[in-house]
């Protein structure tokens, strides 16, 4: 909620979009934790450090933006905050993706098992040929 409140006060559209992306990604991360509570350990750092720091930076950005001047310190700080948001978006995406590692492994295992079973019955000679060509 704090992030959304800060977003409403910011005038710069690019920053608003980045905050929206961060909120959306974090919502997806929380949804995944609801689906698989074992993933909760993966977001401890998000809850304890990332979100409070991002919230603090949003507040700084709001203060700087309200100054309505192009001073070196203000402009530099605003640029660094924007760059940090880009980095945070990448980190949030990687974290969300990592939450699906177990499912990806299970799917790969199921597919391999199914292909092997079909191959043992001579039902997928084309798949065997494709797999051999891909590995070579």
């Amino acid at each position: 909620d704090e992030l959304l409140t800060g977003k409403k006060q910011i005038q710069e559209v690019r920053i608003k979009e980045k905050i929206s992306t961060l909120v959306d990604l974090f919502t997806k991360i929380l949804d995944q934790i609801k689906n698989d509570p074992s993933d909760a350990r993966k977001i401890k750092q998000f809850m304890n450090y990332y979100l409070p720091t991002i919230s603090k930076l949003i507040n700084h950005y709001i203060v700087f933006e309200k100054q309505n001047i192009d001073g070196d310190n203000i402009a530099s700080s605003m640029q660094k905050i924007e760059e940090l948001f880009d980095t945070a978006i990448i980190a949030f995406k990687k974290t969300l993706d990592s939450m699906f590692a177990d499912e990806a492994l299970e799917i790969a295992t199921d597919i391999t098992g199914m292909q092997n079973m079909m191959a043992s019955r001579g039902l997928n000679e084309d798949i065997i040929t494709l797999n051999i060509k891909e590995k070579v």
Side-chain angles (χ1 to χ4, degrees):
D1 288 340
E2 230 176 285
L3 298 180
L4 291 174
T5 303
K7 178 189 147 196
K8 290 177 185 175
Q9 296 178 46
I10 291 176
Q11 301 302 311
E12 177 58 51
V13 174
R14 276 189 336 269
I15 299 300
K16 284 183 170 213
E17 290 172 355
K18 291 174 191 218
I19 294 170
S20 290
T21 300
L22 288 167
V23 169
D24 181 55
L25 288 166
F26 192 68
T27 300
K28 288 177 181 178
I29 288 169
L30 291 177
D31 289 344
Q32 179 56 24
I33 288 171
K34 288 177 190 172
N35 293 332
D36 185 0
S38 69
D39 283 333
R41 60 183 161 67
K42 294 180 181 177
I43 68 155
K44 185 177 180 180
Q45 201 166 21
F46 277 86
M47 299 303 289
N48 295 331
Y49 184 73
Y50 296 162
L51 288 180
T53 302
I54 288 171
S55 180
K56 181 179 171 183
L57 292 171
I58 288 171
N59 289 329
H60 284 300
Y61 195 94
I62 291 166
V63 169
F64 293 150
E65 194 174 57
K66 286 180 180 177
Q67 302 312 306
N68 221 10
I69 62 168
D70 289 331
D72 290 342
N73 291 319
I74 291 173
S76 173
S77 294
M78 290 173 78
Q79 180 64 35
K80 288 177 184 176
I81 290 169
E82 183 173 357
E83 290 169 3
L84 183 272
F85 289 166
D86 291 335
T87 303
I89 288 169
I90 292 167
F92 279 40
K93 285 179 180 179
K94 285 183 178 183
T95 298
L96 181 59
D97 185 58
S98 74
M99 293 175 145
F100 290 95
D102 292 340
E103 287 88 344
L105 179 61
E106 183 180 335
I107 290 168
T109 302
D110 288 346
I111 289 171
T112 300
M114 178 72 91
Q115 287 175 334
N116 289 339
M117 185 177 289
M118 289 169 32
S120 71
R121 290 179 171 70
L123 299 175
N124 69 339
E125 291 176 13
D126 292 337
I127 291 174
I128 294 170
T129 303
L130 285 175
N131 283 340
I132 291 170
K133 287 180 182 177
E134 287 176 4
K135 292 178 183 177
V136 173

